[in-house]
Amino acid sequence: LFCDKISLCIGSSKFIGNSSSLPTRIKIDTLRFCGTAINNIEDVSINHMIVNNSVTSVHGRDTGYFEDLIINTIEFEEPASISSIDMGFLYDTKVKELTIPTSIKIIKSHVGVINGLKKFIIPQNSQLEKWELNSDTYYFEEIYCYLPTPPTLKIPSNYRFTPIIYVPIENYSTYLSSPTWSKFTIKPIL
């Protein structure tokens, strides 16, 4: 089933996706979530996912079921309402670049390896306070953090990945003096 150039607007998801009776993956061009929570999405291909600013919760892979999910791009409408996010929901997606919503205060990453994500952006007006990294969670290459003050970063001792952190030149020395952020390569955005 392929819904070409169709935009679907759904409320809070209890389950979206394929069932064993359908022979092929469901394919949707644009899917807009308009409810309050996103969880339990499986065996579906979404070209562009829009998360409406009414959404207050995106469950992670450990609390919601996300499997065989292909998403090419995700856009969060601003002003967003999500205060925390578990990055496990990106486990099986194809998203290469993600800008987190400005409302996010806590990023959790406890389950799953996120392979496709190459560029992660924390916008200047972000409210991000804390980011918890799992030892095997991220393989992206670049983090663009536009915050003047580095958020608290919790890194396990066996963390092995080394993305390049890009920060505005006026914040460069602040990130270099941070005990956790300075463990990564930090480069100024000119």
Side-chain angles (χ1 to χ4, degrees):
L1 175 63
F2 180 68
C3 303
D4 188 22
K5 300 193 189 298
I6 291 179
S7 177
L8 297 176
C9 182
I10 63 168
S12 299
S13 68
K14 293 294 181 198
F15 174 79
I16 296 175
N18 211 343
S19 70
S20 57
S21 63
L22 292 174
T24 59
R25 173 184 299 273
I26 294 172
K27 296 179 181 179
I28 300 170
D29 184 62
T30 302
L31 181 64
R32 177 183 297 269
F33 285 96
C34 303
T36 57
I38 300 173
N39 61 342
N40 299 338
I41 305 172
E42 135 182 36
D43 202 18
V44 64
S45 292
I46 303 166
N47 183 44
H48 183 67
M49 184 168 118
I50 301 169
V51 180
N52 192 287
N53 56 12
S54 64
V55 174
T56 58
S57 175
V58 179
H59 296 280
R61 194 164 187 265
D62 55 342
T63 55
Y65 191 72
F66 294 84
E67 194 71 43
D68 294 322
L69 176 64
I70 296 173
I71 301 173
N72 291 321
T73 60
I74 298 175
E75 172 188 348
F76 291 92
E77 287 186 340
E78 294 288 354
S81 303
I82 305 166
S83 61
S84 71
I85 195 165
D86 187 324
M87 297 299 289
F89 88 97
L90 290 172
Y91 171 72
D92 220 5
T93 69
K94 303 293 182 202
V95 175
K96 301 224 180 303
E97 180 178 316
L98 182 69
T99 300
I100 64 164
T102 57
S103 59
I104 296 289
K105 293 183 179 181
I106 299 171
I107 299 174
K108 300 175 185 177
S109 353
H110 296 120
V111 178
V113 176
I114 303 166
N115 288 317
L117 193 58
K118 302 290 183 203
K119 186 175 181 180
F120 190 77
I121 302 165
I122 302 167
Q124 182 178 10
N125 53 348
S126 173
Q127 298 177 36
L128 184 63
E129 298 169 358
K130 183 178 179 182
W131 190 354
E132 301 174 9
L133 289 172
N134 182 317
S135 61
D136 64 350
T137 303
Y138 294 107
Y139 291 97
F140 50 75
E141 298 163 5
E142 302 172 331
I143 297 171
Y144 286 77
C145 189
Y146 291 93
L147 293 174
T149 305
T152 302
L153 186 60
K154 182 180 174 186
I155 305 172
S157 58
N158 62 343
Y159 191 75
R160 63 187 184 279
F161 186 64
T162 56
I164 298 172
I165 312 296
Y166 291 93
V167 298
I169 195 162
E170 61 270 14
N171 306 332
Y172 180 71
S173 61
T174 306
Y175 281 81
L176 279 179
S177 63
S178 166
T180 51
W181 286 87
S182 62
K183 293 179 181 180
F184 301 109
T185 301
I186 299 175
K187 294 186 176 182
I189 301 170
L190 303 174

